[in-house]
Amino acid sequence: MTQEEKNIGKKSAAEKAVEFVKDRMTVGLGSGSTVFFAIKKLGEQVRGGLNIKTVSTSDTTTQLAQSEGIKLTSIDEAGEIDLTIDGADEVDRSFNGIKGGGGALLFEKIVALSSKKNIWIVDSTKLVDKLGKFPLPVEIIPFGYKRVFKLIEEMNLNPVIRKKNDEFYFTDSGNLIFDLHIGEVRDPEDMDKELKLINGVVETGLFINIADVIISGRNNSTEIINK
Ligand code: 5RP
């Protein structure tokens, strides 16, 4: 599938997800190129009178929401979030997924776990039988990162330190990302636990059983997969 075709699928999924947003809701806004379409659609609806508050998961999302005139609040002021719309890098039919390709996994997981309902929007190529072809992002404290890198290497998980323009990539929280080239994650829950036991690991991009609804877009049509 070409990138252009994927983008049409992303837009279809995103716009379908926005149909779940109702007046007076507090809505979590994920990050990434699929969520971009959802924020644009929400912006249109807000300008048409929709009254919502939103919680952002990244600086990029905050800027986009602000430019669309969407009301933002902090996660601590928001309390429980009614619905969060987010993208994913890979998702299986057990509602497990890999996120963090865009580097926002930490805030995305906090917002997801604070939400009554999580809708993931993906183009149909991201639905997989087994997670792991997409390198698993893991957020790491910079202090002592070499030790953590070595430990993950010893687990044969093939970490690569994420870079941007030849410099280390830093998350919105000032942390590093290691992308783990695993190939296949046999047991996502176990892997998540094992990685989080390493001192220096802040969070992993494994989102286990967090999504409630997956909307997969292909061309102008969508498949809604409910848990
Ligand atoms: C960012 C994420 C994104 O949701 C994920 O990378 C999907 O991105 P896109 O919608 O651009 O394909 O987890 O941290």
Side-chain angles (χ1 to χ4, degrees):
M1 199 183 278
T2 65
Q3 194 52 51
E4 201 180 326
E5 286 167 333
K6 286 183 189 175
N7 285 342
I8 296 171
K10 287 180 182 197
K11 188 165 187 274
S12 304
E15 294 187 348
K16 178 55 78 181
V18 169
E19 292 177 16
F20 287 74
V21 177
K22 305 288 173 231
D23 217 37
R24 295 178 183 277
M25 275 188 169
T26 301
V27 180
L29 301 177
S31 297
S33 59
T34 316
V35 167
F36 168 88
F37 294 115
I39 297 175
K40 292 297 259 187
K41 190 75 193 170
L42 277 175
E44 264 173 52
Q45 298 199 347
V46 163
R47 290 190 293 280
L50 178 72
N51 177 19
I52 53 168
K53 274 188 300 191
T54 65
V55 176
S56 169
T57 54
S58 64
D59 293 346
T60 309
T61 286
T62 300
Q63 280 164 21
L64 179 61
Q66 278 169 344
S67 72
E68 289 293 321
I70 297 172
K71 210 186 295 167
L72 286 147
T73 186
S74 77
I75 184 153
D76 292 308
E77 272 166 24
E80 199 172 34
I81 297 166
D82 295 298
L83 167 68
T84 287
I85 300 174
D86 204 350
D89 299 300
E90 269 185 357
V91 52
D92 68 20
R93 289 194 181 253
S94 309
F95 291 81
N96 298 322
I98 289 183
K99 287 182 48 54
L105 63 113
L106 177 59
F107 289 179
E108 286 173 339
K109 202 179 271 189
I110 294 171
V111 169
L113 293 173
S114 308
S115 303
K116 285 191 237 170
K117 185 171 187 156
N118 283 283
I119 300 181
W120 281 3
I121 47 178
V122 292
D123 73 69
S124 61
T125 63
K126 292 180 172 178
L127 274 174
V128 296
D129 290 331
K130 282 274 172 197
L131 301 177
K133 203 163 165 203
F134 189 92
L136 171 65
V138 179
E139 186 152 345
I140 311 287
I141 294 269
F143 187 81
Y145 74 92
K146 287 190 178 170
R147 175 187 145 273
V148 180
F149 189 87
K150 195 158 165 278
L151 288 171
I152 295 178
E153 246 182 355
E154 284 165 7
M155 292 162 77
N156 290 321
L157 296 177
N158 306 318
V160 173
I161 304 183
R162 190 178 296 184
K163 292 194 174 167
K164 194 176 171 186
N165 304 326
D166 281 339
E167 308 274 358
F168 282 173
Y169 170 88
F170 288 98
T171 67
D172 288 349
S173 311
N175 294 316
L176 297 169
I177 299 269
F178 293 173
D179 291 303
L180 276 44
H181 293 251
I182 303 173
E184 182 181 314
V185 179
R186 290 214 181 87
D187 186 332
E189 207 170 333
D190 259 20
M191 170 131 307
D192 184 50
K193 281 189 190 143
E194 233 183 294
L195 286 165
K196 283 173 88 170
L197 282 175
I198 302 172
N199 169 259
V201 169
V202 181
E203 192 49 89
T204 85
L206 281 167
F207 282 52
I208 312 294
N209 206 18
I210 286 179
D212 301 291
V213 180
I214 297 161
I215 304 181
S216 160
R218 191 184 176 90
N219 301 320
N220 291 315
S221 62
T222 52
E223 180 190 4
I224 300 182
I225 308 164
N226 287 295
K227 195 180 260 174

